[in-house]
Amino acid sequence: MEDYLRKNFAVEPKRPSEEALRRWRSAVALVKNRSRRFRMVADLAKRAEADRRRKIIQEKIRVALYVQKAALNFIDAGKQAESKLPEDVRKAGFHIGADELASIVRSHDMSSFEEHGGVEGLAKKVSVSLTNGVVPTDISFRQNIYGNNKFDEKPARSFWMFVWEALHDLTLIILIVCAVVSIGVGVATEGWPGGLYDGLGIVLCIFLVVFVTAISDYKQSLQFKDLDKEKKNILVQVTREGCRQKISIYDLVVGDIVHLSIGDQVPADGVLISGYSLSIDESSLSGESEPVKVTQERPFLLSGTKVQDGSGKMLVTTVGMRTEWGRLMVTLSEGGVDETPLQVKLNGVATVIGKIGLVFAVLTFLVLTIRFMVTKAQLGEIEKWGMSDVLVLLNFFAVAVTIIVVAVPEGLPLAVTLSLAFAMKKLMSDKALVRHLSACETMGSATCICTDKTGTLTTNHMVVDKIWTCGRTISIAGDNKREDVLRSSIAGEVLDLLLQSIFQNTGAEVVKGKDGKNNILGSPTETAILEFGLLLGGEFKKYRKESTILKVEPFNSEKKRMSVLVSLSNGGENRAFCKGASEIILESCNKVINVDGKAEHLSKEQKKYITDVINGFACEALRTLCLAFKDVKDTSDVHSDSIPQENYTLIAVIGIKDPVRPGVRQAVETCLSAGIKVRIVTGDNINTAKAIARECGILTENGLAIEGPEFRDMSPRQMEETIPKLQVLARSLPLDKHKLVTYLRKEFKEVVAVTGDGTNDAPALHEADIGLAMGIAGTEVAKENADVIIMDDNFATIQNVARWGRAVYINIQKFVQFQLTVNIVALMLNFVSACISVIFRFCPSDGCSATLGEHDHGHSRCIGIGHRTSS
Ligand SMILES: Nc1ncnc2c1ncn2[C@@H]1O[C@H](COP(=O)(O)OP(=O)(O)OP(=O)(O)O)[C@@H](O)[C@H]1O
Ligand SMILES: [Ca+2]
């Protein structure tokens, strides 16, 4: 049986192959209740159809975008519509219709775009200011004219449809027939009303079964709907009424100004207002994998594409179903969710038991009939047949049916769905959003977790704790927290340079909130640095006005640095600033600032000394960054595409405190005691990582901590030796994470869970058995590639997912035990009693209660992680 199950009923937990899906479906060809049995299973035919439709749309988009000739046809079609401005649009005070806007962006129609006066022109035509954005009062107005950013959905199914579906159960249909026959026969033989009772009992059971099934299916459909909504609800940053704020993607209107940064999904069609090295991955839309650069020459942005690098601002021109993405979305949700390996396996078990049941049912019927015939023959009545004989035979048939009803455990695969759905619901309230049902199950057998450090193990509330500049370290605590004390401890020229580098070279922004207070929008690291700048008494706006930004190279995890090039208004000099991972920036410095604010040569000894400072900070678990600048005199440097990377002057080393989350230590301990290894894979400094790892109880005496570059250069043999001991991988690139996961899975046969937040973590999340994306710090790209989203970014939540995963296994185990006991006892009892005497046996209504039991199971509570050897 083991072999049979393995051969026919094995699917991969993630992205199962089409072949495996088909194989197990055809292995349950002989099933009495196809539509019921497969109701929680993906509909392959529907899915293939949706796939085909999606491919057609993608191909069309591809042709329109990449094949010039076709694009021209598109443009001509757009031109015709252009001439007349719809009445309602004109009355509303706008000067361009929704369809025309849609057509310009969709077909990348540069000539029409310029005819309308570029971005400024379009902004004017949709009555919006490019600096202040939409005014909240005319949002509903805009929605009336241009539509809202929602996508068509299939109408929800009502409760009665589920009742109707539940009635399609073949077992129930047989039972209904049995009930009718029983009532008829009962009344005929036992009279009114005594003969009714048996039949009514069956009816009552049918009623219960139908309603319990329908209610549970209905509740589940609502739950999946909620989940779907939660999955699609993305927060986007917009400027409205001059304030930068976060709103739901569904509230976006035409005319909104959206801020895009690396890893974001473009939330609607639009045109670029301004941006730095913005490159877009359009593969979700057109299937084209090469990223495209979006610049003033090619300013069009399409909904559903992803920001691969850089940052920018865009003006929304088309929303909702008018975008191509809207049409694609409809095809994405069709075909149902993939079944999980456990579901498939239990389908196999149900099939095997069903077959045995069938054999026993036939045997029982034969035994009973033969006994009856033999008795009849003995009495010499074999030729005489009356109504009562038919009734007896009918009764035998009912017994056989009962055996099938009790023996085929239809509810077995369903128990997995119920159990998983229940775990999913619990996890949702525990701050984990399960995107794929199977992830929950797989997590139960995870043997290893590769976790991020920042935000997952730590709180992500970062504050500058120490700064080293001009040869001395200042800790920002106690008295030093006061502005005057701080200012007096840093020389005037140096202070100015420091503030310049803080305020000019940042991806974050200081905005005045509605309450007039300063709010900082940006990543925690950036926020910490800006807050420090404000603490030093700097003014964001003032420093920003002093110069014009020429170029920005936004931060990404690969370079681990951010640089800007500005032209200073006093004197017209150009200056580059860079900040980033301490060792990397220190490597590109050849000078250091001294107490007078002058740059002096950075000697070898001094470099060594600064490295010690950095390591000192890092050993205290501080996140270290270096700030540096460079005066750029060469015009070729100014006009080249990139900002120079070498010969900088070091201004300061900053140590940022990011304390370990409370509860992480216990969570790690629980994982370890449950046999799950925990490893840190971080982009941070090795000493910082080690300090945090020790604090969390991850790094032990004989554990190994190495850096990304060392790991990258290892031979397969060295890998084999290193990986089992590896506990901390620091200064890693996203590719290292991917490599580690691949190794753990392929060579060490581990079941690996990986956390990630960045865009570049996507390959690792994709590769892992369970990808966990961070809900707060995570980018859209990471979330899309993950199986579970950890809404509060907390490691303790990951432990909860594992706990519930195991609870599912325990539930199923109990259920299978229960089911098999019922089946085997019922089978044997019926068969044996049929063979020995006709007195003791099950009646059809007992079958009903057994079925009822199946539907009501799978709700036991989870107790603890408990040991489970992976099967
Ligand atoms: N906005 C930023 N600008 C410049 N440098 C930064 C910025 N944010 C982080 N860094 C530097 O880059 C380093 C690595 O960042 P990276 O994103 O690769 O790792 P991480 O995601 O912060 O760490 P983890 O993997 O633990 O989450 C940090 O240690 C820090 O020194
Ligand atoms: Ca990270």
Side-chain angles (χ1 to χ4, degrees):
M1 184 165 129
E2 201 62 66
D3 254 5
Y4 170 76
L5 288 181
R6 198 171 304 133
K7 211 161 82 210
N8 294 298
F9 294 93
V11 298
E12 302 81 5
K14 244 179 140 173
R15 293 179 294 281
S17 66
E18 184 86 13
E19 192 224 324
L21 293 181
R22 286 197 190 287
R23 187 171 350 109
W24 83 263
R25 277 173 178 74
S26 63
V28 273
L30 190 83
V31 56
K32 71 178 188 325
N33 236 333
R34 231 188 153 69
S35 68
R36 298 290 301 152
R37 172 84 81 92
F38 288 156
R39 73 183 189 277
M40 297 296 184
V41 160
D43 185 339
L44 292 186
K46 224 179 187 174
R47 192 182 273 189
E49 170 60 23
D51 241 22
R52 204 182 53 80
R53 282 206 334 255
R54 185 167 60 244
K55 290 244 169 68
I56 293 176
I57 300 178
Q58 282 188 335
E59 184 56 26
K60 253 198 204 146
I61 300 172
R62 216 182 63 78
V63 168
L65 295 188
Y66 298 97
V67 185
Q68 281 301 317
K69 234 205 242 145
L72 287 177
N73 294 340
F74 237 104
I75 291 164
D76 286 339
K79 282 256 165 69
Q80 282 162 9
E82 172 193 16
S83 47
K84 28 188 170 13
L85 183 67
E87 193 60 20
D88 54 337
V89 176
R90 209 181 35 161
K91 269 201 191 127
F94 300 123
H95 302 284
I96 188 165
D99 291 325
E100 198 185 343
L101 268 174
S103 137
I104 292 174
V105 176
R106 190 193 303 146
S107 53
H108 288 24
D109 182 356
M110 220 39 215
S111 62
S112 289
F113 176 67
E114 268 153 16
E115 248 167 59
H116 283 289
V119 199
E120 287 84 15
L122 284 181
K124 223 175 262 162
K125 290 199 168 171
V126 296
S127 311
V128 73
S129 126
L130 282 180
T131 42
N132 288 333
V134 172
V135 196
T137 44
D138 52 70
I139 285 171
S140 60
F141 202 54
R142 284 173 192 276
Q143 282 176 337
N144 285 341
I145 300 291
Y146 292 112
N148 47 22
N149 201 24
K150 294 207 171 102
F151 305 101
D152 286 354
E153 270 172 36
K154 269 188 289 179
R157 294 198 304 164
S158 73
F159 174 67
W160 296 107
M161 283 178 81
F162 284 97
V163 172
W164 176 241
E165 250 186 16
L167 275 170
H168 282 67
D169 193 320
L170 187 70
T171 317
L172 289 181
I173 294 172
I174 295 174
L175 282 172
I176 291 170
V177 174
C178 282
V180 173
V181 171
S182 169
I183 290 176
V185 173
V187 173
T189 53
E190 288 169 50
W192 182 274
L196 274 181
Y197 296 147
D198 229 15
L200 279 186
I202 304 177
V203 171
L204 183 71
C205 288
I206 294 171
F207 193 74
L208 276 175
V209 170
V210 167
F211 271 85
V212 170
T213 316
I215 289 171
S216 110
D217 282 4
Y218 180 60
K219 262 172 52 186
Q220 222 164 87
S221 82
L222 289 186
Q223 193 189 328
F224 281 123
K225 221 174 142 135
D226 280 352
L227 190 83
D228 210 44
K229 232 185 180 161
E230 192 73 30
K231 266 197 300 201
K232 287 183 189 151
N233 189 9
I234 300 170
L235 289 180
V236 284
Q237 287 210 7
V238 295
T239 295
R240 279 186 179 173
E241 256 194 327
C243 279
R244 196 160 152 178
Q245 51 191 280
K246 276 187 186 161
I247 61 164
S248 157
I249 184 169
Y250 299 127
D251 297 334
L252 216 58
V253 291
V254 169
D256 260 326
I257 293 163
V258 177
H259 300 258
L260 296 171
S261 55
I262 180 166
D264 284 349
Q265 178 181 318
V266 177
D269 283 4
V271 286
L272 183 75
I273 300 170
S274 62
Y276 304 109
S277 23
L278 190 62
S279 79
I280 300 281
D281 171 13
E282 286 185 347
S283 60
S284 56
L285 208 56
S286 63
E288 201 76 17
S289 58
E290 208 40 42
V292 287
K293 289 242 172 312
V294 175
T295 54
Q296 304 301 345
E297 286 74 50
R298 188 195 178 283
F300 305 107
L301 288 148
L302 295 176
S303 176
T305 54
K306 314 276 158 35
V307 181
Q308 189 151 41
D309 205 0
S311 59
K313 271 198 294 187
M314 75 174 229
L315 173 73
V316 174
T317 57
T318 316
V319 293
M321 288 307 289
R322 278 205 177 84
T323 63
E324 295 287 354
W325 183 242
R327 291 206 280 151
L328 263 182
M329 284 277 267
V330 179
T331 64
L332 282 179
S333 55
E334 263 167 41
V337 287
D338 273 334
E339 50 268 27
T340 75
L342 211 51
Q343 266 171 335
V344 174
K345 219 166 259 162
L346 288 195
N347 258 305
V349 175
T351 309
V352 172
I353 300 176
K355 281 182 184 159
I356 297 174
L358 192 65
V359 171
F360 269 84
V362 173
L363 270 182
T364 313
F365 185 73
L366 285 179
V367 167
L368 287 173
T369 315
I370 291 167
R371 273 177 61 107
F372 179 66
M373 294 294 207
V374 169
T375 324
K376 228 171 148 55
Q378 276 170 350
L379 293 175
E381 290 174 353
I382 195 85
E383 249 116 82
K384 275 187 261 155
W385 284 83
M387 188 60 193
S388 61
D389 296 321
V390 177
L391 283 182
V392 171
L393 282 185
L394 207 66
N395 216 347
F396 293 165
F397 181 71
V399 173
V401 169
T402 315
I403 291 183
I404 297 182
V405 171
V406 207
V408 183
E410 284 293 312
L412 213 50
L414 201 69
V416 184
T417 319
L418 284 179
S419 199
L420 282 174
F422 181 66
M424 213 158 145
K425 197 164 106 198
K426 285 282 167 197
L427 279 172
M428 186 98 129
S429 57
D430 280 351
K431 297 271 181 289
L433 192 136
V434 181
R435 291 185 78 239
H436 302 134
L437 212 51
S438 60
C440 204
E441 191 181 296
T442 319
M443 195 65 194
S445 43
T447 55
C448 161
I449 300 175
C450 299
T451 172
D452 258 345
K453 174 184 74 61
T454 316
T456 314
L457 300 173
T458 63
T459 56
N460 227 2
H461 288 302
M462 302 198 190
V463 203
V464 173
D465 189 60
K466 277 186 179 164
I467 176 170
W468 176 93
T469 185
C470 313
R472 56 183 284 231
T473 303
I474 308 165
S475 36
I476 321 293
D479 250 2
N480 271 347
K481 263 205 165 131
R482 290 207 341 251
E483 190 186 319
D484 48 333
V485 181
L486 257 183
R487 284 181 85 98
S488 64
S489 51
I490 304 174
E493 290 82 23
V494 182
L495 185 70
D496 192 49
L497 202 55
L498 183 64
L499 287 177
Q500 256 188 23
S501 97
I502 287 177
F503 290 125
Q504 303 284 12
N505 184 17
T506 177
E509 218 176 303
V510 181
V511 289
K512 280 257 186 300
K514 287 216 168 82
D515 49 0
K517 272 198 203 133
N518 275 333
N519 283 331
I520 301 176
L521 282 173
S523 76
T525 311
E526 303 268 16
T527 309
I529 299 173
L530 272 195
E531 252 167 14
F532 180 61
L534 295 178
L535 186 72
L536 282 173
E539 268 179 61
F540 182 68
K541 286 255 157 64
K542 186 182 134 238
Y543 277 95
R544 273 299 167 99
K545 262 193 213 118
E546 268 176 15
S547 57
T548 4
I549 293 181
L550 301 176
K551 256 179 274 181
V552 179
E553 282 179 9
F555 173 79
N556 72 29
S557 304
E558 227 133 320
K559 296 178 301 185
K560 300 200 197 299
R561 66 197 282 168
M562 165 175 186
S563 348
V564 293
L565 182 67
V566 298
S567 103
L568 303 172
S569 45
N570 52 346
E573 272 174 49
N574 295 318
R575 188 171 276 178
F577 293 100
C578 83
K579 73 164 191 288
S582 40
E583 314 92 270
I584 297 173
I585 301 295
L586 185 61
E587 260 327 292
S588 40
C589 289
N590 62 355
K591 291 192 209 88
V592 60
I593 207 87
N594 67 12
V595 197
D596 311 318
K598 296 270 159 348
E600 60 180 41
H601 177 70
L602 185 66
S603 64
K604 260 218 173 95
E605 295 77 58
Q606 232 170 343
K607 217 171 199 169
K608 164 119 202 341
Y609 164 68
I610 297 173
T611 307
D612 287 344
V613 171
I614 292 171
N615 285 338
F617 281 10
C619 287
E620 291 172 44
L622 299 181
R623 189 176 172 83
T624 56
L625 272 102
C626 284
L627 305 179
F629 82 102
K630 170 185 181 152
D631 284 323
V632 182
K633 305 230 168 61
D634 225 339
T635 42
S636 67
D637 272 347
V638 177
H639 295 293
S640 84
D641 264 352
S642 54
I643 299 171
Q645 305 277 325
E646 294 304 319
N647 304 335
Y648 274 83
T649 308
L650 184 72
I651 307 170
V653 181
I654 290 181
I656 301 173
K657 187 145 103 187
D658 183 14
V660 171
R661 276 179 194 272
V664 162
R665 214 191 147 88
Q666 287 92 301
V668 169
E669 231 165 67
T670 316
C671 285
L672 292 178
S673 68
I676 305 173
K677 273 191 213 132
V678 184
R679 296 183 167 93
I680 295 186
V681 185
T682 177
D684 220 334
N685 181 297
I686 186 155
N687 290 310
T688 316
K690 268 161 120 177
I692 297 274
R694 257 188 222 109
E695 226 177 306
C696 300
I698 294 175
L699 186 62
T700 51
E701 286 286 310
N702 36 24
L704 206 61
I706 57 173
E707 284 191 324
E710 195 186 333
F711 178 76
R712 236 164 287 153
D713 296 337
M714 279 182 183
S715 66
R717 269 217 50 175
Q718 280 170 311
M719 287 268 192
E720 224 151 275
E721 278 166 22
T722 321
I723 289 180
K725 282 182 284 171
L726 183 69
Q727 286 172 339
V728 176
L729 183 58
R731 281 287 181 242
S732 64
L733 294 184
L735 262 181
D736 302 333
K737 210 185 234 181
H738 182 250
K739 194 169 177 185
L740 177 64
V741 172
T742 318
Y743 248 88
L744 281 169
R745 289 194 64 211
K746 300 263 158 70
E747 304 297 323
F748 294 92
K749 302 277 173 261
E750 299 224 32
V751 180
V752 188
V754 168
T755 71
D757 47 12
T759 318
N760 310 341
D761 289 335
L765 291 172
H766 200 76
E767 171 72 26
D769 294 289
I770 314 110
L772 305 151
M774 298 298 129
I776 304 169
T779 56
E780 263 336 292
V781 175
K783 286 182 198 167
E784 197 164 80
N785 280 284
D787 306 294
V788 180
I789 298 173
I790 307 294
M791 312 273 259
D792 60 352
D793 292 15
N794 191 346
F795 186 80
T797 308
I798 299 176
Q799 169 222 329
N800 263 341
V801 181
R803 190 188 289 262
W804 276 104
R806 293 201 175 182
V808 168
Y809 272 99
I810 295 169
N811 276 356
I812 301 300
Q813 217 168 32
K814 282 187 194 149
F815 183 62
V816 171
Q817 273 167 8
F818 159 79
Q819 184 74 57
L820 290 186
T821 321
V822 170
N823 287 143
I824 289 166
V825 169
L827 265 185
M828 294 327 281
L829 221 55
N830 256 302
F831 181 68
V832 172
S833 63
C835 295
I836 300 169
S837 80
V838 202
I839 310 161
F840 182 62
R841 70 175 193 236
F842 268 72
C843 95
S845 52
D846 295 325
C848 278
S849 19
T851 319
L852 185 63
E854 291 170 14
H855 289 270
D856 203 25
H857 207 74
H859 286 262
S860 32
R861 278 208 58 91
C862 121
I863 314 132
I865 281 194
H867 282 275
R868 203 191 67 79
T869 43
S870 72
S871 56

